[in-house]
Every structure is written in structure tokens, then in C-alpha cells.
Amino acid sequence: MNEAAMTLEGWYALHDFRTINWPAWKAADEEVRAFALDELNAFLQEWDAIEAAKQGSTAVYTIVGQKADFVFMHLRETLEDLNAIENAFNKTTFAQFTTKAYSYVSIVELSNYLAGSSDEDPMQNPHVIARLKPALPKSKHICFYPMNKKRDLSDNWYMLSMDDRKSMMKSHGMIGRGYAGKVKQIITGSVGLDDWEWGVTLFSDEALQFKKLVYEMRFDEVSARFGEFGPFYVGNLLDQASFTDLMKV
Ligand code: VOV
């Protein structure tokens, strides 16, 4: 019997990781660099305006370590919107000084594991809509990683009964609740969209809380038995001023 959890979907998500070509940037004429930064700032302003109009949301962070130098995380209504943003950005002079490091395509997802029984249409509930189409937090730090739930013969998440999955997700949710006010999670589903099953994006003003939360969850059955994890990306908030500062040669 098909016991797929019911999912609700909101905005599509694109995590666009880039590396800065520092030798090319430093070798460029000052006017070219100034023009490129103006273009970047124009995009940042445009994305702010889209967020203010509640038509999407964008978060911009540096990435610490060598996997990338920064990430644009965009949430938009359609895949076409996301495609248009990346193509418009790729055509800028600023983008000529970056290389693509990694990307992830997914969609904001909520499941019904912990939902109570009610006849209400969740898509009419403003709290649900606010979670499906969120303004991304502008916390000091971001942590992103993709993950799967195991499909091994002995440990296959997709062959468990709904009741078993519900009880494990309850325990997962309880651990998460212990981080209320410290870590905000945005879970994006990516089955059929990208190489892993979910993108996990965490936001916090204290980077250490990422370690505390992820470590604690490792002892919880749903992560301990079924979690498979991709690469972790962690970084610091960027705005127009700090991005301009970062690009100073
Ligand atoms: C800030 C902490 C936090 C909190 C409060 C929280 C709560 C919840 C709830 C209540 C629910 C279920 C209902 C829904 O909302 O969909 C989920 C769902 C999910 N989670 Fe979660 N999660 C957190 C945090 C959190 C983390 C850190 C991870 C990564 C796991 C780890 O080991 O590294 C994670 C993963 C997920 C996933 C992949 C799903 C979807 C699973 C599926 O099979 O569908 N999550 N999560």
C-alpha cells in the first residue's frame, strides 16, 4: 500500500555557489571592477525589492573554506524565475570574475507527519503559507547540506509504515524544538529535482549551534539509522556593504 507522506510545496529554491577568480579580479582595471560592483549591487537591490513585494526571497552569504566563496540562495515562485535570475546574473561583468562551484535545485516542503487531523485546507492557513513562502532569515550564519534517507534492504525508510515514520519524525521534531530561537531550518525537497532527496538550510546567529544541533540529531533514530549526508557549506552573512568590502583589492 502506498503510504507516501503528503507534502505541501511552496517556493522553488536555487542555492547558487560561486568561487571568485581573485587573480582576474585583481588584474582588472579599476573602472571595470567599479562597473562590476555596481552591477552586483543593482542585483542585490532588485532582490531586496522582490522580497519586500513578497514575490520571493534571497539570502547572500560568504562560504568559509575552499568549496566556494559565496552563495546566493534564491526562493521564487517558479523554476523559470530561478532560471531567469541565474542567466541574468551570468551575463553580468561581475559573474565573469566568478566560477560555478556547486548548485542545488529544490522546493520548500512541509510534510504531514506531525499534522493533526482537520478538514481545513492547509493552503488557506496563513501560518502554513508563511512557512512555504518564507522571507529567508538574515541571521549571521548559514549552513547548507543535501541529504537522503536510506533505502538499504535492512534500513529502508521508504518501506517503513506511516506510524513508524511518524513516531520517528516526532522525536526529530522534539530535538529541533530544543533549538527554537537559536536555529531556523528551511527544508527543501529535491526528489526528482536534484541529486539528493532534501536540502537542509540552517540559519543562526551563533555558528556553534549548527554543530550542537546536527550532532544531537545524529543520535536520533531517523538520522542515526536513515540519514545520509552530502557536503556541508557554512558561511557568514553578506550585504551590499560587506560584499563591497570583500571585493576590495
Ligand atoms: C531547528 C530545528 C529543526 C526542527 C524544529 C525540525 C522539525 C521538523 C519537523 C516538525 C518535520 C516534519 C514536518 C515538516 O515540517 O515537514 C521535519 C522534517 C524534516 N527535517 Fe527537520 N527540523 C529541524 C532541523 C533539521 C535538521 C538539522 C535536519 C537534518 C538532519 C540531520 O540529522 O542533520 C532536518 C531534516 C529534516 C528533513 C529531511 C525533513 C523531511 C523528512 C521527511 O521524511 O519528509 N531537520 N523537521
Side-chain angles (χ1 to χ4, degrees):
M1 179 177 135
N2 177 354
E3 282 197 301
M6 300 294 286
T7 56
L8 298 173
E9 282 79 17
W11 277 333
Y12 282 91
L14 172 66
H15 293 70
D16 183 349
F17 294 86
R18 307 269 172 156
T19 299
I20 300 163
N21 182 342
W22 286 115
W25 180 252
K26 287 173 84 171
D29 288 346
E30 208 173 316
E31 306 86 79
V32 175
R33 285 201 304 260
F35 178 78
L37 277 182
D38 284 349
E39 270 182 317
L40 171 70
N41 283 327
F43 268 97
L44 296 179
Q45 277 165 24
E46 190 181 317
W47 297 338
D48 280 351
I50 286 174
E51 186 162 306
K54 300 191 187 314
Q55 290 166 345
S57 182
T58 294
V60 184
Y61 283 82
T62 64
I63 295 296
V64 182
Q66 297 180 354
K67 291 178 186 138
D69 287 323
F70 65 88
V71 59
F72 296 134
M73 176 181 179
H74 300 293
L75 299 182
R76 292 295 185 277
E77 197 68 52
T78 67
L79 270 185
E80 285 84 352
D81 292 339
L82 291 177
N83 219 181
I85 296 178
E86 63 174 339
N87 286 330
F89 181 74
N90 281 335
K91 289 176 197 165
T92 63
T93 302
F94 184 79
Q96 309 316 307
F97 295 101
T98 70
T99 50
K100 295 159 191 167
Y102 186 58
S103 70
Y104 206 76
V105 178
S106 53
I107 186 165
V108 180
E109 179 190 287
L110 293 178
S111 68
N112 68 342
Y113 283 123
L114 303 187
S117 54
S118 144
D119 289 340
E120 182 201 64
D121 174 1
M123 297 309 272
Q124 301 303 322
N125 180 331
H127 300 292
V128 173
I129 298 299
R131 290 188 61 199
L132 291 173
K133 300 184 174 188
L136 292 171
K138 304 298 180 276
S139 311
K140 281 165 72 178
H141 306 287
I142 193 170
C143 172
F144 169 80
Y145 52 103
M147 67 171 285
N148 288 338
K149 290 212 174 146
K150 242 189 224 165
R151 281 183 288 122
D152 286 351
L153 278 182
S154 50
D155 283 328
N156 188 330
W157 175 256
Y158 296 90
M159 292 183 75
L160 297 179
S161 71
M162 184 63 168
D163 283 349
D164 286 350
R165 280 176 284 138
K166 266 189 180 163
S167 97
M168 278 189 245
M169 287 311 294
K170 193 169 172 200
S171 166
H172 167 87
M174 292 302 286
I175 293 181
R177 270 170 58 180
Y179 290 80
K182 294 188 203 154
V183 180
K184 166 100 181 121
Q185 89 283 14
I186 307 271
I187 301 299
T188 51
S190 43
V191 172
L193 298 176
D194 216 319
D195 299 343
W196 298 76
E197 294 173 348
W198 287 276
V200 178
T201 311
L202 308 175
F203 296 89
S204 180
D205 283 331
E206 203 192 330
L208 186 56
Q209 294 301 324
F210 297 144
K211 178 176 181 294
K212 299 278 183 205
L213 168 63
V214 175
Y215 182 68
E216 193 175 343
M217 282 194 172
R218 288 291 156 103
F219 291 91
D220 187 49
E221 193 170 7
V222 72
S223 294
R225 266 180 79 189
F226 298 102
E228 291 179 330
F229 302 96
F232 280 65
Y233 292 82
V234 67
N236 307 319
L237 185 66
L238 280 174
D239 58 15
Q240 273 195 54
S242 52
F243 214 143
T244 301
D245 222 34
L246 166 71
M247 298 312 295
K248 280 205 180 109
V249 293

Short mmCIF file of all heavy atoms in Angstrom, two decimals, residues 181-225:
data_model
loop_
_atom_site.label_atom_id
_atom_site.label_comp_id
_atom_site.label_asym_id
_atom_site.label_seq_id
_atom_site.Cartn_x
_atom_site.Cartn_y
_atom_site.Cartn_z
N GLY A 181 14.48 29.53 18.48
CA GLY A 181 15.10 30.81 18.79
C GLY A 181 16.61 30.82 18.55
O GLY A 181 17.24 31.87 18.59
N LYS A 182 17.19 29.63 18.34
CA LYS A 182 18.65 29.57 18.11
C LYS A 182 18.96 29.21 16.66
O LYS A 182 19.91 29.75 16.07
CB LYS A 182 19.27 28.51 19.02
CG LYS A 182 19.21 28.84 20.48
CD LYS A 182 20.03 27.82 21.25
CE LYS A 182 19.58 27.72 22.69
NZ LYS A 182 19.87 26.41 23.27
N VAL A 183 18.22 28.24 16.11
CA VAL A 183 18.46 27.80 14.73
C VAL A 183 17.11 27.77 14.01
O VAL A 183 16.13 27.25 14.54
CB VAL A 183 19.08 26.38 14.67
CG1 VAL A 183 19.31 25.96 13.23
CG2 VAL A 183 20.39 26.32 15.45
N LYS A 184 17.11 28.34 12.80
CA LYS A 184 15.89 28.27 11.98
C LYS A 184 16.21 27.36 10.79
O LYS A 184 17.24 27.51 10.14
CB LYS A 184 15.57 29.69 11.53
CG LYS A 184 14.58 29.81 10.43
CD LYS A 184 13.21 30.17 10.97
CE LYS A 184 12.21 30.25 9.81
NZ LYS A 184 11.12 29.35 9.93
N GLN A 185 15.33 26.37 10.54
CA GLN A 185 15.58 25.43 9.43
C GLN A 185 14.63 25.68 8.28
O GLN A 185 13.46 25.97 8.52
CB GLN A 185 15.47 23.98 9.93
CG GLN A 185 14.10 23.35 9.86
CD GLN A 185 13.15 23.79 10.97
OE1 GLN A 185 13.39 24.77 11.67
NE2 GLN A 185 12.04 23.08 11.11
N ILE A 186 15.14 25.57 7.06
CA ILE A 186 14.28 25.58 5.88
C ILE A 186 14.56 24.24 5.18
O ILE A 186 15.69 24.00 4.74
CB ILE A 186 14.61 26.73 4.91
CG1 ILE A 186 14.61 28.10 5.60
CG2 ILE A 186 13.68 26.70 3.69
CD1 ILE A 186 13.30 28.82 5.65
N ILE A 187 13.56 23.37 5.13
CA ILE A 187 13.74 22.07 4.48
C ILE A 187 13.16 22.16 3.08
O ILE A 187 12.01 22.58 2.89
CB ILE A 187 13.03 20.94 5.29
CG1 ILE A 187 13.58 20.87 6.72
CG2 ILE A 187 13.18 19.60 4.57
CD1 ILE A 187 15.06 20.55 6.84
N THR A 188 13.99 21.83 2.10
CA THR A 188 13.54 21.88 0.71
C THR A 188 13.62 20.47 0.13
O THR A 188 14.62 19.77 0.30
CB THR A 188 14.38 22.88 -0.10
OG1 THR A 188 15.78 22.61 0.08
CG2 THR A 188 14.09 24.31 0.31
N GLY A 189 12.56 20.03 -0.52
CA GLY A 189 12.52 18.70 -1.11
C GLY A 189 13.14 18.73 -2.50
O GLY A 189 12.95 19.71 -3.24
N SER A 190 13.87 17.67 -2.84
CA SER A 190 14.54 17.70 -4.15
C SER A 190 14.48 16.36 -4.87
O SER A 190 15.21 16.16 -5.83
CB SER A 190 15.99 18.17 -3.97
OG SER A 190 16.59 17.55 -2.86
N VAL A 191 13.57 15.48 -4.42
CA VAL A 191 13.38 14.22 -5.18
C VAL A 191 12.89 14.62 -6.58
O VAL A 191 11.94 15.38 -6.72
CB VAL A 191 12.31 13.34 -4.48
CG1 VAL A 191 11.96 12.14 -5.34
CG2 VAL A 191 12.82 12.88 -3.12
N GLY A 192 13.57 14.13 -7.60
CA GLY A 192 13.18 14.48 -8.97
C GLY A 192 13.70 15.82 -9.43
O GLY A 192 13.48 16.20 -10.58
N LEU A 193 14.37 16.57 -8.52
CA LEU A 193 14.87 17.90 -8.91
C LEU A 193 16.39 17.98 -8.87
O LEU A 193 16.99 18.70 -9.65
CB LEU A 193 14.29 18.97 -7.97
CG LEU A 193 12.76 19.14 -7.97
CD1 LEU A 193 12.34 20.17 -6.93
CD2 LEU A 193 12.26 19.56 -9.36
N ASP A 194 16.98 17.27 -7.92
CA ASP A 194 18.45 17.31 -7.83
C ASP A 194 18.97 15.99 -7.28
O ASP A 194 18.20 15.04 -7.10
CB ASP A 194 18.91 18.53 -7.00
CG ASP A 194 20.21 19.13 -7.56
OD1 ASP A 194 21.12 18.34 -7.93
OD2 ASP A 194 20.34 20.36 -7.62
N ASP A 195 20.28 15.92 -7.00
CA ASP A 195 20.92 14.61 -6.77
C ASP A 195 20.61 13.97 -5.43
O ASP A 195 20.86 12.78 -5.24
CB ASP A 195 22.45 14.76 -6.88
CG ASP A 195 22.85 15.24 -8.26
OD1 ASP A 195 22.02 15.14 -9.18
OD2 ASP A 195 23.98 15.73 -8.42
N TRP A 196 20.15 14.75 -4.48
CA TRP A 196 19.80 14.22 -3.16
C TRP A 196 18.31 14.41 -2.94
O TRP A 196 17.64 15.03 -3.78
CB TRP A 196 20.60 14.95 -2.06
CG TRP A 196 22.09 14.76 -2.18
CD1 TRP A 196 22.92 15.38 -3.08
CD2 TRP A 196 22.93 13.89 -1.41
NE1 TRP A 196 24.22 14.95 -2.89
CE2 TRP A 196 24.25 14.04 -1.88
CE3 TRP A 196 22.69 13.01 -0.35
CZ2 TRP A 196 25.32 13.35 -1.33
CZ3 TRP A 196 23.74 12.32 0.20
CH2 TRP A 196 25.05 12.48 -0.29
N GLU A 197 17.81 13.92 -1.80
CA GLU A 197 16.36 13.97 -1.59
C GLU A 197 15.87 15.26 -0.92
O GLU A 197 14.74 15.68 -1.14
CB GLU A 197 15.92 12.75 -0.78
CG GLU A 197 16.13 11.48 -1.60
CD GLU A 197 15.90 10.19 -0.84
OE1 GLU A 197 15.77 10.21 0.40
OE2 GLU A 197 15.84 9.13 -1.49
N TRP A 198 16.73 15.85 -0.09
CA TRP A 198 16.38 17.12 0.56
C TRP A 198 17.59 18.03 0.63
O TRP A 198 18.74 17.56 0.70
CB TRP A 198 15.92 16.90 2.02
CG TRP A 198 14.58 16.27 2.16
CD1 TRP A 198 13.36 16.90 2.12
CD2 TRP A 198 14.29 14.88 2.37
NE1 TRP A 198 12.35 15.99 2.28
CE2 TRP A 198 12.89 14.75 2.45
CE3 TRP A 198 15.08 13.74 2.51
CZ2 TRP A 198 12.26 13.52 2.65
CZ3 TRP A 198 14.45 12.52 2.70
CH2 TRP A 198 13.06 12.41 2.78
N GLY A 199 17.31 19.32 0.65
CA GLY A 199 18.32 20.30 1.02
C GLY A 199 17.97 20.77 2.42
O GLY A 199 16.79 21.02 2.71
N VAL A 200 18.97 20.84 3.28
CA VAL A 200 18.76 21.34 4.64
C VAL A 200 19.49 22.68 4.73
O VAL A 200 20.70 22.73 4.50
CB VAL A 200 19.36 20.36 5.69
CG1 VAL A 200 19.18 20.91 7.12
CG2 VAL A 200 18.74 18.98 5.54
N THR A 201 18.76 23.75 4.99
CA THR A 201 19.42 25.06 5.13
C THR A 201 19.11 25.57 6.53
O THR A 201 17.94 25.70 6.91
CB THR A 201 18.93 26.07 4.08
OG1 THR A 201 18.97 25.46 2.79
CG2 THR A 201 19.83 27.31 4.07
N LEU A 202 20.16 25.80 7.29
CA LEU A 202 20.02 26.26 8.68
C LEU A 202 20.54 27.69 8.78
O LEU A 202 21.53 28.03 8.12
CB LEU A 202 20.80 25.34 9.63
CG LEU A 202 20.54 23.84 9.50
CD1 LEU A 202 21.47 23.04 10.42
CD2 LEU A 202 19.07 23.52 9.84
N PHE A 203 19.89 28.48 9.61
CA PHE A 203 20.32 29.86 9.85
C PHE A 203 20.47 30.06 11.35
O PHE A 203 19.62 29.59 12.12
CB PHE A 203 19.26 30.85 9.34
CG PHE A 203 19.06 30.81 7.85
CD1 PHE A 203 18.13 29.94 7.28
CD2 PHE A 203 19.79 31.64 7.00
CE1 PHE A 203 17.93 29.90 5.91
CE2 PHE A 203 19.60 31.60 5.63
CZ PHE A 203 18.67 30.73 5.08
N SER A 204 21.53 30.75 11.76
CA SER A 204 21.72 31.02 13.18
C SER A 204 22.64 32.23 13.37
O SER A 204 23.48 32.51 12.52
CB SER A 204 22.34 29.80 13.88
OG SER A 204 22.52 30.07 15.25
N ASP A 205 22.46 32.91 14.51
CA ASP A 205 23.40 33.99 14.84
C ASP A 205 24.63 33.44 15.52
O ASP A 205 25.58 34.16 15.80
CB ASP A 205 22.71 35.03 15.74
CG ASP A 205 21.78 35.92 14.92
OD1 ASP A 205 22.06 36.12 13.72
OD2 ASP A 205 20.77 36.39 15.48
N GLU A 206 24.61 32.14 15.84
CA GLU A 206 25.76 31.53 16.53
C GLU A 206 26.13 30.24 15.80
O GLU A 206 25.40 29.23 15.89
CB GLU A 206 25.33 31.22 17.97
CG GLU A 206 26.47 31.12 18.94
CD GLU A 206 26.01 30.52 20.28
OE1 GLU A 206 24.83 30.70 20.64
OE2 GLU A 206 26.83 29.84 20.90
N ALA A 207 27.23 30.26 15.06
CA ALA A 207 27.58 29.12 14.19
C ALA A 207 27.70 27.82 15.00
O ALA A 207 27.40 26.74 14.50
CB ALA A 207 28.88 29.41 13.44
N LEU A 208 28.13 27.92 16.25
CA LEU A 208 28.31 26.72 17.07
C LEU A 208 27.01 25.93 17.23
O LEU A 208 27.03 24.70 17.39
CB LEU A 208 28.87 27.12 18.44
CG LEU A 208 29.26 25.98 19.39
CD1 LEU A 208 30.28 25.05 18.74
CD2 LEU A 208 29.81 26.55 20.70
N GLN A 209 25.88 26.64 17.15
CA GLN A 209 24.58 25.95 17.29
C GLN A 209 24.34 24.95 16.16
O GLN A 209 23.60 23.98 16.33
CB GLN A 209 23.43 26.96 17.39
CG GLN A 209 23.46 27.82 18.63
CD GLN A 209 23.42 27.01 19.92
OE1 GLN A 209 22.75 25.97 20.00
NE2 GLN A 209 24.14 27.46 20.93
N PHE A 210 24.96 25.18 14.99
CA PHE A 210 24.82 24.20 13.89
C PHE A 210 25.42 22.86 14.35
O PHE A 210 24.85 21.79 14.16
CB PHE A 210 25.55 24.66 12.62
CG PHE A 210 25.03 25.94 12.01
CD1 PHE A 210 25.89 26.85 11.41
CD2 PHE A 210 23.67 26.21 11.99
CE1 PHE A 210 25.42 28.00 10.82
CE2 PHE A 210 23.18 27.38 11.40
CZ PHE A 210 24.06 28.27 10.82
N LYS A 211 26.61 22.95 14.92
CA LYS A 211 27.30 21.73 15.36
C LYS A 211 26.49 21.03 16.46
O LYS A 211 26.28 19.82 16.42
CB LYS A 211 28.72 22.07 15.86
CG LYS A 211 29.49 20.89 16.38
CD LYS A 211 30.91 21.29 16.76
CE LYS A 211 31.73 20.11 17.25
NZ LYS A 211 31.28 19.53 18.50
N LYS A 212 26.02 21.84 17.41
CA LYS A 212 25.26 21.25 18.53
C LYS A 212 24.01 20.52 18.00
O LYS A 212 23.73 19.39 18.40
CB LYS A 212 24.81 22.35 19.51
CG LYS A 212 25.96 23.11 20.14
CD LYS A 212 26.54 22.35 21.29
CE LYS A 212 27.64 23.13 22.00
NZ LYS A 212 28.57 22.23 22.71
N LEU A 213 23.26 21.19 17.11
CA LEU A 213 22.01 20.62 16.60
C LEU A 213 22.28 19.37 15.76
O LEU A 213 21.66 18.31 15.97
CB LEU A 213 21.28 21.68 15.76
CG LEU A 213 20.10 21.19 14.91
CD1 LEU A 213 18.99 20.63 15.78
CD2 LEU A 213 19.55 22.32 14.05
N VAL A 214 23.20 19.47 14.80
CA VAL A 214 23.44 18.35 13.89
C VAL A 214 23.99 17.16 14.68
O VAL A 214 23.62 16.01 14.45
CB VAL A 214 24.37 18.77 12.73
CG1 VAL A 214 24.72 17.58 11.85
CG2 VAL A 214 23.68 19.85 11.88
N TYR A 215 24.85 17.46 15.67
CA TYR A 215 25.41 16.38 16.49
C TYR A 215 24.30 15.69 17.29
O TYR A 215 24.20 14.46 17.30
CB TYR A 215 26.48 16.96 17.42
CG TYR A 215 27.16 15.92 18.29
CD1 TYR A 215 27.99 14.95 17.73
CD2 TYR A 215 26.98 15.92 19.67
CE1 TYR A 215 28.61 13.99 18.52
CE2 TYR A 215 27.60 14.97 20.47
CZ TYR A 215 28.41 14.01 19.90
OH TYR A 215 29.01 13.07 20.67
N GLU A 216 23.45 16.49 17.92
CA GLU A 216 22.38 15.88 18.73
C GLU A 216 21.47 15.02 17.85
O GLU A 216 21.08 13.92 18.23
CB GLU A 216 21.58 16.98 19.44
CG GLU A 216 20.69 16.42 20.52
CD GLU A 216 19.95 17.46 21.35
OE1 GLU A 216 20.34 18.65 21.35
OE2 GLU A 216 18.96 17.05 22.01
N MET A 217 21.20 15.52 16.64
CA MET A 217 20.32 14.74 15.75
C MET A 217 20.95 13.43 15.29
O MET A 217 20.24 12.48 14.98
CB MET A 217 19.90 15.59 14.55
CG MET A 217 18.81 16.57 14.94
SD MET A 217 17.98 17.31 13.56
CE MET A 217 16.66 18.17 14.43
N ARG A 218 22.29 13.39 15.25
CA ARG A 218 22.95 12.15 14.84
C ARG A 218 22.59 10.98 15.75
O ARG A 218 22.68 9.83 15.36
CB ARG A 218 24.48 12.31 14.83
CG ARG A 218 25.02 13.17 13.70
CD ARG A 218 24.89 12.53 12.36
NE ARG A 218 24.88 13.56 11.31
CZ ARG A 218 25.90 13.86 10.52
NH1 ARG A 218 27.02 13.20 10.64
NH2 ARG A 218 25.79 14.81 9.62
N PHE A 219 22.20 11.28 17.02
CA PHE A 219 21.84 10.21 17.97
C PHE A 219 20.37 9.84 17.89
O PHE A 219 19.92 8.91 18.54
CB PHE A 219 22.18 10.65 19.41
CG PHE A 219 23.67 10.72 19.64
CD1 PHE A 219 24.36 11.91 19.41
CD2 PHE A 219 24.38 9.61 20.05
CE1 PHE A 219 25.72 11.97 19.60
CE2 PHE A 219 25.76 9.67 20.24
CZ PHE A 219 26.43 10.86 20.00
N ASP A 220 19.64 10.59 17.09
CA ASP A 220 18.21 10.33 16.97
C ASP A 220 18.00 9.32 15.83
O ASP A 220 18.66 9.39 14.80
CB ASP A 220 17.51 11.66 16.63
CG ASP A 220 16.01 11.52 16.65
OD1 ASP A 220 15.48 10.96 17.63
OD2 ASP A 220 15.37 11.94 15.67
N GLU A 221 17.08 8.39 16.02
CA GLU A 221 16.99 7.24 15.10
C GLU A 221 16.87 7.64 13.63
O GLU A 221 17.52 7.05 12.75
CB GLU A 221 15.83 6.34 15.49
CG GLU A 221 15.89 5.00 14.76
CD GLU A 221 14.89 3.99 15.29
OE1 GLU A 221 14.06 4.34 16.14
OE2 GLU A 221 14.96 2.83 14.82
N VAL A 222 16.06 8.66 13.36
CA VAL A 222 15.83 8.99 11.95
C VAL A 222 17.13 9.43 11.26
O VAL A 222 17.36 9.11 10.09
CB VAL A 222 14.68 10.02 11.80
CG1 VAL A 222 15.09 11.40 12.25
CG2 VAL A 222 14.16 10.05 10.39
N SER A 223 18.01 10.11 11.99
CA SER A 223 19.31 10.49 11.40
C SER A 223 20.33 9.36 11.58
O SER A 223 21.08 9.04 10.66
CB SER A 223 19.85 11.77 12.06
OG SER A 223 19.01 12.85 11.76
N ALA A 224 20.34 8.75 12.78
CA ALA A 224 21.35 7.73 13.07
C ALA A 224 21.23 6.52 12.13
O ALA A 224 22.22 6.01 11.63
CB ALA A 224 21.24 7.27 14.53
N ARG A 225 19.98 6.10 11.89
CA ARG A 225 19.79 4.90 11.04
C ARG A 225 19.60 5.24 9.57
O ARG A 225 20.04 4.51 8.70
CB ARG A 225 18.54 4.13 11.52
CG ARG A 225 18.86 3.03 12.48
CD ARG A 225 17.59 2.32 12.88
NE ARG A 225 17.14 1.39 11.87
CZ ARG A 225 15.95 0.79 11.92
NH1 ARG A 225 15.13 1.05 12.90
NH2 ARG A 225 15.61 -0.06 10.99
#
